[in-house]
Amino acid sequence: MNNFRRIIAIALTLSAITTLNAQTSDTKQIFIYAPNERAGLHIAQQTNNGWQEIGQLCSSDYGTWGQEKRMYHPSLCRAQDGTWRLVFQINDKSPMFAAAYSKDLVTWRPQDYPIMTTRQCLQPVVFPNPDGTFDIYYKTKGGDKRWTSATPDFRTFTPDRTSQISNDAWLRDTATISGHMYDGCLFDITANELTTITSHFTRQAADWQLSQERMHNDAKNPPVTRPVTATLTVTNEEKAISDKLIGIFFEDISYAADGGLYAELIQNRDFEYIPKDHRGWGATTAWSASKPVVVVAVDPLSENNPHYAVLGNDTIYNEGWDGIAVSAGAKYDFSMFVRCVTADKKQFIIQLVDEAGTPIAQAKLKTEGKDWHQYETVLTAKTTCSKARLAVIGVKDAKAGIDMVSLFPQETFMHRKNGLRKDLAETIAALHPKFIRFPGGCMSHGQGLENIYHWNHTVGPLQDRKPDFNIWGYHQTRGLGFFEYFQFCEDIGAEPLPVLAAGVPCQNSNNNRQGIGGQQGGIPMDQMPAYIQELLDMIEWANGDPATSKWAKMRADAGHPAPFNLKYIGIGNEDIIGTVFEERYEMICRAIRAKYPDIKICGTVGPFHTPSADYLEGWDFTKKHPDLQYMVDEHYYESTGWFMHHRDYYDHYDRSAAKVYLGEYAASTDAKRPNVETALAEALYLTDIERNGDVVEMTSYAPMLAKDGHHNWNPDMIYFSNTDVCPTPAYEVQRLFSVYSGDRYVKSTLKAPGIAHRIGASLVRDSKTGKKYLKLVNALPQPLTLDVNGLTIPADAKCEGFEGTPEEQTIKVKPCPLNGGSILLPPYSFRVIEL
Ligand code: AHR
C-alpha cells in the first residue's frame, strides 16, 4: 500500500475507535499528552466528571540538564500485541527525535534518539503497520515532510526519505483537563489495564509518603514517645558474604584531584588552561605579573602541552589553588622545564612569597641550551603561610621559555614522587577501603565523545600526558593518572576498580556541532575496534609481562615492573541503557571476555533505583546475557526517609544473577551536608547490605571528596581546604563498617514491631581472625534497650560508636562501655561491638 493511502486508512481507523468510544464496562478511555514541554508525558482518564489527571508516565531523557530534557508533541500508537510506541520532538535543532517503547505505559524502555539526515525532526507522528513495523513522519523547518520506518522492536530505523503524506497525519485528539484544553492521543484500554496503571500511581504515592519521614522532624511527629525495648535473636546459621563490601568512589569532582588529593601546588603549571575548561580561563589563569604574561607555542616541550611562557627580565607569580599552603621548615621540590630562546644561558630566582610579598623561601636556577631541559631545586619554607605564592623571577633580559612549573611537598603520602597529599591520603587510607573505583563518575564517560576519559592519555611522562577539560567545569592535568591511581590502590591494599566509558559519553552531554547531544550516537562503529583495543591495552598495561608486552613495559619503565593484579573493570557509568549503549557495551564485554576471561566486568544499570527505565532495562539486559558481566553498578542518591523505608531492597534479589556493586549512594536531608541523621540512615542501610552481602559485592559512598569553595555536589564524605581535612559523620560510618567487616553473616532476627525501620542490627564474622562484629543502630528519638538472645556479650567487650542530634554535623567516635546481656542504645546512636 502506498504510504499516503496507508496512513489515511490507519488514521481513519484510529479516529473511528476513539470517537465511537462509548465506554463499555470493560473499556476505559485514556488521554495521553504533555501539559508543557518540561512536564513529560501524562495520562488522564475519562470519568463521569470529565477528564481526570492520573500522573506522569515518563519524561524526556535527551541531552543536557537545563537547556534540554524537553518533550514536544508526543505521539503514541499501540502495536497489535498491545505494546506501546512513543515518539516526540526533543528540540528544533537536532537531527533526531525520541523513540520509546512500553509494555504497559507504566514502565518504559530507555529512550533511543535515531539520527536522521535533516537538521530538525519536528512533530514526529507514529503509526503501526500490519506487518508489525512502524512508520514515523516528521516535518522540517522548511515545511518538508519526511518518513522513516522502525522495526517491530523499535530499535532500528531506516534512512529517512521525503514523504508526500497528507497533513491529516498530524491531526490530534484534544481533551480538557482542569480547565485547559490539550492536544494528545486518545485510546481505549481495558479496565484491567487501567487498574494496573492506577495501582502503580497509588503505590508510587504511598512510597513517596513513607520516604518523607525525617529524624529531624521527630520532635513534631515522634515515632515513639518513651524508651523502647527490642529483641535480637542470634542463630547459629551463617552464610558467606563479600569481603569487599566497603570501598571508595574517587572522582575528580569538586577539585578532588587537581587542587586536592594530587599534591601538586602549582595551578596551570603547563599553561594549558582554555576557556572550554571554564568560561574566562586561558593559558595565564592562576599566573600574574606586572605586565602581560607572554605565552607561545613554537617548538613546544610536547605536542600534548603546546603552550609555554616566555620570560625575560620579568617576574611571574602563581597563586596555586586558592593560595599555596606551606609550613615552616618543610621542604618543597621545585622543578620546571626551560628552553633558552635569545641567549644560551638564563638564570632564574625561584621564591615563595607570603601574602605581603615577602620571600619566605628562595633558590637560584642556572639554565642553558636551546633545547628543553628539566631543572630542579628544593625550597625550604622559613615561615608557615596558608596563602603563599610562587615567584619565578627571570634575571637579565635574555628570554627563555618555561613550562611544567611544579612544586610538590616532599612529604607526600608514602613519600611517592608525583604523589598524593599526605593528610588527605591518610584520611582515605584510614577507611581501609577494600577497593578504589576511579576516575569517576561522569568524568569517566565525559561531556561528549571528545571528552571520554582515555586512560592512555594519563600515563607516561607528565609533560606528555594529555590534559582535558573536566565535565565538572574545570581542568584535568592528568598528573594524577592511571599509574598513580593503581599505585595508591596497592599502597593501601585496595583492589583497583577502573571504570571506563562504554563507547558512549555522558547521557547529559551538550549538543555537538551537528546538534547531536546526550550519548551523541556513541563512538562511531568504525572507531569501536580501536576503542576496544584501548580498553584491552589497559588490562595488558596493568597485568602484562614487561618482557613481552609494550604496555607492561611502560608500566615497568614508570617504576612498577610487577603486575598490578587488576581483577575488575567497570564499563559504563549511569548511561541510558538504550540501543546505542547496548550494542557498544556488548561488543566491549565480548572482547574482554575473549581475551581476559578472568577479569570481572562490572556493567551499569543507570542513575536511579528500581523502577527507573535504565535500571529495569539494565537488569533485563544483564539477565539475558549472564555470560557477559560479573556484577552491575547501581546508583541512588536518596532522602533519609527513603533509606529507612527500603531496608529490604536486596532481600529479594535473584541470588543466581549478577552481583551488585552499589557504586554511588548517599542519604541526604535539606541540610545538604552529612549529619547524624544521614549517617544513621546509611548505617541502617549498611546493616541490610551486610545481610545481603551474598548478592551485594561492593558498595561505595559518593562523592568522596569536596574542596571548600569548589563544591559541584553535596553531600560529600570528606570536606577539605588547603590546610584542613574534615571527615563527616558519613565518613565515620563508612570507616566503622569497613574496619569491622567480616566474610560471614550470622543470621539473626529483630523483634521491634512498628519501629523496625529505625533499628539496625547485623552480626558478621571474620573467618580469618574468628572475630565477630555486632553493629547496632538506634535511629529513634528515645533510648532503646536491646535484649540479645543467642549471643554472649562480655561486659568488657570492646565497643565504640557515636550519638548526637539528627542535625549535628560533627561527631566523635568514642569507646562506649557495655553492661552485659541487654544493651542500652542512646537516642540516635550507632555502636560496633567486637566479640
Ligand atoms: O557522584 C557524583 C556524580 O553523580 C557522578 O559523577 C555521577 O556518576 C552521578 O550522577
Side-chain angles (χ1 to χ4, degrees), residues 249 251 253 437 440-445 471-472 507-508 573-574 607 635 637 664 702-704 713 716:
F249 165 94
E251 172 166 29
I253 181 174
R437 172 220 179 112
C442 289
M443 218 202 63
S444 288
H445 54 183
I471 193 169
W472 296 107
Q507 77 279 25
N508 304 316
N573 174 68
E574 294 194 353
H635 294 180
Y637 295 93
E664 293 186 28
M704 180 172 61
W713 193 278
D716 304 277

mmCIF file of all heavy atoms in Angstrom, residues 249 251 253 437 440-445 471-472 507-508 573-574 607 635 637 664 702-704 713 716, ligand 1:
data_model
loop_
_atom_site.group_PDB
_atom_site.id
_atom_site.type_symbol
_atom_site.label_atom_id
_atom_site.label_comp_id
_atom_site.label_asym_id
_atom_site.label_seq_id
_atom_site.Cartn_x
_atom_site.Cartn_y
_atom_site.Cartn_z
ATOM 1 N N PHE A 249 34.727 5.529 46.239
ATOM 2 C CA PHE A 249 34.453 6.076 44.913
ATOM 3 C C PHE A 249 35.306 7.322 44.792
ATOM 4 O O PHE A 249 35.119 8.277 45.539
ATOM 5 C CB PHE A 249 32.964 6.418 44.857
ATOM 6 C CG PHE A 249 32.557 7.306 43.709
ATOM 7 C CD1 PHE A 249 32.096 6.752 42.528
ATOM 8 C CD2 PHE A 249 32.586 8.681 43.831
ATOM 9 C CE1 PHE A 249 31.693 7.568 41.483
ATOM 10 C CE2 PHE A 249 32.177 9.500 42.786
ATOM 11 C CZ PHE A 249 31.736 8.943 41.611
ATOM 12 N N GLU A 251 36.274 10.325 42.358
ATOM 13 C CA GLU A 251 36.060 11.046 41.100
ATOM 14 C C GLU A 251 36.680 12.417 41.231
ATOM 15 O O GLU A 251 36.611 13.038 42.300
ATOM 16 C CB GLU A 251 34.562 11.182 40.810
ATOM 17 C CG GLU A 251 34.318 12.097 39.601
ATOM 18 C CD GLU A 251 32.910 12.029 39.033
ATOM 19 O OE1 GLU A 251 31.975 11.755 39.802
ATOM 20 O OE2 GLU A 251 32.766 12.263 37.825
ATOM 21 N N ILE A 253 35.872 15.426 41.087
ATOM 22 C CA ILE A 253 34.716 16.325 41.161
ATOM 23 C C ILE A 253 35.016 17.227 42.346
ATOM 24 O O ILE A 253 35.723 16.807 43.275
ATOM 25 C CB ILE A 253 33.411 15.502 41.355
ATOM 26 C CG1 ILE A 253 32.169 16.390 41.425
ATOM 27 C CG2 ILE A 253 33.458 14.600 42.564
ATOM 28 C CD1 ILE A 253 30.841 15.593 41.458
ATOM 29 N N ARG A 437 37.305 2.771 43.303
ATOM 30 C CA ARG A 437 36.779 2.970 41.962
ATOM 31 C C ARG A 437 37.294 4.324 41.484
ATOM 32 O O ARG A 437 37.243 5.317 42.210
ATOM 33 C CB ARG A 437 35.251 2.979 42.030
ATOM 34 C CG ARG A 437 34.591 3.365 40.730
ATOM 35 C CD ARG A 437 33.408 4.267 41.015
ATOM 36 N NE ARG A 437 32.778 4.677 39.773
ATOM 37 C CZ ARG A 437 31.579 4.284 39.408
ATOM 38 N NH1 ARG A 437 30.876 3.516 40.182
ATOM 39 N NH2 ARG A 437 31.085 4.703 38.267
ATOM 40 N N GLY A 440 35.892 8.093 37.847
ATOM 41 C CA GLY A 440 34.549 8.682 38.049
ATOM 42 C C GLY A 440 33.578 7.556 37.950
ATOM 43 O O GLY A 440 33.987 6.398 37.825
ATOM 44 N N GLY A 441 32.342 7.895 38.018
ATOM 45 C CA GLY A 441 31.519 9.050 37.794
ATOM 46 C C GLY A 441 31.461 9.543 36.341
ATOM 47 O O GLY A 441 31.958 8.960 35.384
ATOM 48 N N CYS A 442 30.738 10.632 36.269
ATOM 49 C CA CYS A 442 30.518 11.248 34.955
ATOM 50 C C CYS A 442 31.828 11.606 34.279
ATOM 51 O O CYS A 442 31.888 11.705 33.063
ATOM 52 C CB CYS A 442 29.640 12.483 35.105
ATOM 53 S SG CYS A 442 27.953 12.042 35.503
ATOM 54 N N MET A 443 32.895 11.813 35.082
ATOM 55 C CA MET A 443 34.152 12.182 34.453
ATOM 56 C C MET A 443 34.697 11.047 33.589
ATOM 57 O O MET A 443 35.456 11.296 32.666
ATOM 58 C CB MET A 443 35.158 12.571 35.516
ATOM 59 C CG MET A 443 36.010 13.723 35.079
ATOM 60 S SD MET A 443 37.522 13.752 35.997
ATOM 61 C CE MET A 443 38.271 12.234 35.516
ATOM 62 N N SER A 444 34.290 9.812 33.888
ATOM 63 C CA SER A 444 34.783 8.687 33.078
ATOM 64 C C SER A 444 34.245 8.759 31.659
ATOM 65 O O SER A 444 34.968 8.545 30.702
ATOM 66 C CB SER A 444 34.332 7.351 33.670
ATOM 67 O OG SER A 444 35.012 7.072 34.841
ATOM 68 N N HIS A 445 32.925 9.027 31.557
ATOM 69 C CA HIS A 445 32.395 8.995 30.179
ATOM 70 C C HIS A 445 32.366 10.365 29.520
ATOM 71 O O HIS A 445 32.235 10.451 28.307
ATOM 72 C CB HIS A 445 31.066 8.252 30.090
ATOM 73 C CG HIS A 445 29.984 8.704 30.989
ATOM 74 N ND1 HIS A 445 28.766 8.071 31.041
ATOM 75 C CD2 HIS A 445 29.904 9.710 31.856
ATOM 76 C CE1 HIS A 445 28.008 8.686 31.922
ATOM 77 N NE2 HIS A 445 28.679 9.679 32.425
ATOM 78 N N ILE A 471 34.400 17.572 33.052
ATOM 79 C CA ILE A 471 32.942 17.728 32.919
ATOM 80 C C ILE A 471 32.368 18.574 34.065
ATOM 81 O O ILE A 471 31.323 19.190 33.925
ATOM 82 C CB ILE A 471 32.276 16.333 32.858
ATOM 83 C CG1 ILE A 471 30.826 16.425 32.395
ATOM 84 C CG2 ILE A 471 32.387 15.610 34.187
ATOM 85 C CD1 ILE A 471 30.202 15.067 32.053
ATOM 86 N N TRP A 472 33.114 18.663 35.186
ATOM 87 C CA TRP A 472 32.613 19.420 36.340
ATOM 88 C C TRP A 472 33.041 20.879 36.311
ATOM 89 O O TRP A 472 32.977 21.578 37.325
ATOM 90 C CB TRP A 472 33.034 18.740 37.649
ATOM 91 C CG TRP A 472 32.414 17.390 37.765
ATOM 92 C CD1 TRP A 472 33.034 16.188 37.631
ATOM 93 C CD2 TRP A 472 31.037 17.089 37.994
ATOM 94 N NE1 TRP A 472 32.145 15.162 37.770
ATOM 95 C CE2 TRP A 472 30.900 15.686 37.988
ATOM 96 C CE3 TRP A 472 29.891 17.872 38.199
ATOM 97 C CZ2 TRP A 472 29.663 15.047 38.178
ATOM 98 C CZ3 TRP A 472 28.665 17.234 38.383
ATOM 99 C CH2 TRP A 472 28.573 15.855 38.369
ATOM 100 N N GLN A 507 25.230 10.807 29.336
ATOM 101 C CA GLN A 507 23.895 10.942 28.724
ATOM 102 C C GLN A 507 23.357 12.366 28.808
ATOM 103 O O GLN A 507 22.393 12.708 28.144
ATOM 104 C CB GLN A 507 22.900 9.956 29.350
ATOM 105 C CG GLN A 507 22.363 10.332 30.716
ATOM 106 C CD GLN A 507 23.332 9.984 31.853
ATOM 107 O OE1 GLN A 507 24.528 9.902 31.647
ATOM 108 N NE2 GLN A 507 22.817 9.788 33.039
ATOM 109 N N ASN A 508 24.021 13.193 29.615
ATOM 110 C CA ASN A 508 23.576 14.597 29.745
ATOM 111 C C ASN A 508 24.468 15.534 28.944
ATOM 112 O O ASN A 508 24.492 16.737 29.212
ATOM 113 C CB ASN A 508 23.585 15.006 31.217
ATOM 114 C CG ASN A 508 22.734 14.071 32.067
ATOM 115 O OD1 ASN A 508 21.627 13.729 31.668
ATOM 116 N ND2 ASN A 508 23.244 13.626 33.194
ATOM 117 N N ASN A 573 28.926 4.193 32.897
ATOM 118 C CA ASN A 573 28.520 4.869 34.131
ATOM 119 C C ASN A 573 27.176 5.535 33.908
ATOM 120 O O ASN A 573 27.093 6.481 33.108
ATOM 121 C CB ASN A 573 29.546 5.942 34.508
ATOM 122 C CG ASN A 573 29.104 6.759 35.702
ATOM 123 O OD1 ASN A 573 29.032 6.249 36.815
ATOM 124 N ND2 ASN A 573 28.758 8.024 35.489
ATOM 125 N N GLU A 574 26.155 5.047 34.557
ATOM 126 C CA GLU A 574 24.849 5.711 34.523
ATOM 127 C C GLU A 574 24.369 6.015 33.106
ATOM 128 O O GLU A 574 23.685 7.008 32.885
ATOM 129 C CB GLU A 574 24.906 7.046 35.277
ATOM 130 C CG GLU A 574 25.141 6.924 36.738
ATOM 131 C CD GLU A 574 24.859 8.218 37.498
ATOM 132 O OE1 GLU A 574 24.606 9.250 36.863
ATOM 133 O OE2 GLU A 574 24.885 8.171 38.737
ATOM 134 N N PRO A 607 21.203 5.684 36.425
ATOM 135 C CA PRO A 607 21.404 6.570 37.573
ATOM 136 C C PRO A 607 20.387 6.447 38.706
ATOM 137 O O PRO A 607 20.541 7.149 39.699
ATOM 138 C CB PRO A 607 21.307 7.960 36.942
ATOM 139 C CG PRO A 607 20.499 7.790 35.710
ATOM 140 C CD PRO A 607 20.613 6.363 35.279
ATOM 141 N N HIS A 635 23.232 2.969 41.232
ATOM 142 C CA HIS A 635 23.425 4.287 41.862
ATOM 143 C C HIS A 635 22.094 4.813 42.378
ATOM 144 O O HIS A 635 21.099 4.734 41.670
ATOM 145 C CB HIS A 635 23.919 5.326 40.837
ATOM 146 C CG HIS A 635 25.290 5.049 40.314
ATOM 147 N ND1 HIS A 635 25.908 5.860 39.403
ATOM 148 C CD2 HIS A 635 26.178 4.050 40.580
ATOM 149 C CE1 HIS A 635 27.116 5.383 39.132
ATOM 150 N NE2 HIS A 635 27.298 4.275 39.828
ATOM 151 N N TYR A 637 20.958 8.298 44.970
ATOM 152 C CA TYR A 637 21.102 9.326 45.998
ATOM 153 C C TYR A 637 19.687 9.589 46.479
ATOM 154 O O TYR A 637 18.826 9.956 45.679
ATOM 155 C CB TYR A 637 21.696 10.604 45.400
ATOM 156 C CG TYR A 637 23.108 10.403 44.897
ATOM 157 C CD1 TYR A 637 23.366 10.064 43.571
ATOM 158 C CD2 TYR A 637 24.188 10.542 45.759
ATOM 159 C CE1 TYR A 637 24.665 9.871 43.115
ATOM 160 C CE2 TYR A 637 25.497 10.351 45.314
ATOM 161 C CZ TYR A 637 25.723 10.013 43.992
ATOM 162 O OH TYR A 637 27.017 9.819 43.543
ATOM 163 N N GLU A 664 27.388 4.182 43.835
ATOM 164 C CA GLU A 664 27.192 5.561 44.284
ATOM 165 C C GLU A 664 25.906 5.600 45.087
ATOM 166 O O GLU A 664 24.856 5.187 44.590
ATOM 167 C CB GLU A 664 27.049 6.517 43.101
ATOM 168 C CG GLU A 664 28.294 6.669 42.270
ATOM 169 C CD GLU A 664 28.129 7.738 41.189
ATOM 170 O OE1 GLU A 664 27.337 8.682 41.387
ATOM 171 O OE2 GLU A 664 28.795 7.606 40.149
ATOM 172 N N ALA A 702 29.227 8.122 47.716
ATOM 173 C CA ALA A 702 29.709 9.085 46.709
ATOM 174 C C ALA A 702 29.037 10.442 46.906
ATOM 175 O O ALA A 702 27.907 10.499 47.365
ATOM 176 C CB ALA A 702 29.402 8.567 45.312
ATOM 177 N N PRO A 703 29.748 11.519 46.482
ATOM 178 C CA PRO A 703 31.164 11.547 46.171
ATOM 179 C C PRO A 703 31.986 11.519 47.453
ATOM 180 O O PRO A 703 31.462 11.763 48.538
ATOM 181 C CB PRO A 703 31.359 12.882 45.458
ATOM 182 C CG PRO A 703 30.010 13.379 45.087
ATOM 183 C CD PRO A 703 29.086 12.788 46.106
ATOM 184 N N MET A 704 33.301 11.273 47.296
ATOM 185 C CA MET A 704 34.124 11.153 48.494
ATOM 186 C C MET A 704 34.694 12.497 48.934
ATOM 187 O O MET A 704 34.652 12.832 50.112
ATOM 188 C CB MET A 704 35.270 10.172 48.222
ATOM 189 C CG MET A 704 36.157 9.998 49.441
ATOM 190 S SD MET A 704 37.366 8.700 49.262
ATOM 191 C CE MET A 704 38.332 9.249 47.893
ATOM 192 N N TRP A 713 28.879 19.296 44.174
ATOM 193 C CA TRP A 713 27.897 18.297 44.616
ATOM 194 C C TRP A 713 27.832 18.310 46.140
ATOM 195 O O TRP A 713 28.832 18.556 46.802
ATOM 196 C CB TRP A 713 28.396 16.917 44.162
ATOM 197 C CG TRP A 713 27.391 15.814 44.255
ATOM 198 C CD1 TRP A 713 27.073 15.099 45.363
ATOM 199 C CD2 TRP A 713 26.606 15.296 43.199
ATOM 200 N NE1 TRP A 713 26.141 14.160 45.059
ATOM 201 C CE2 TRP A 713 25.837 14.265 43.734
ATOM 202 C CE3 TRP A 713 26.483 15.604 41.837
ATOM 203 C CZ2 TRP A 713 24.939 13.529 42.963
ATOM 204 C CZ3 TRP A 713 25.595 14.875 41.081
ATOM 205 C CH2 TRP A 713 24.829 13.839 41.634
ATOM 206 N N ASP A 716 29.013 15.322 50.599
ATOM 207 C CA ASP A 716 30.246 14.597 50.293
ATOM 208 C C ASP A 716 30.761 13.973 51.585
ATOM 209 O O ASP A 716 30.404 14.424 52.675
ATOM 210 C CB ASP A 716 31.285 15.556 49.740
ATOM 211 C CG ASP A 716 30.763 16.305 48.528
ATOM 212 O OD1 ASP A 716 30.820 15.765 47.428
ATOM 213 O OD2 ASP A 716 30.250 17.433 48.698
HETATM 214 O O1 AHR B 1 28.886 11.396 42.380
HETATM 215 C C1 AHR B 1 28.632 12.494 41.571
HETATM 216 C C2 AHR B 1 28.024 12.113 40.242
HETATM 217 O O2 AHR B 1 26.790 11.507 40.458
HETATM 218 C C3 AHR B 1 28.773 11.117 39.429
HETATM 219 O O3 AHR B 1 29.741 11.690 38.643
HETATM 220 C C4 AHR B 1 27.723 10.507 38.571
HETATM 221 O O4 AHR B 1 28.040 9.194 38.211
HETATM 222 C C5 AHR B 1 26.476 10.649 39.383
HETATM 223 O O5 AHR B 1 25.460 11.195 38.666
#
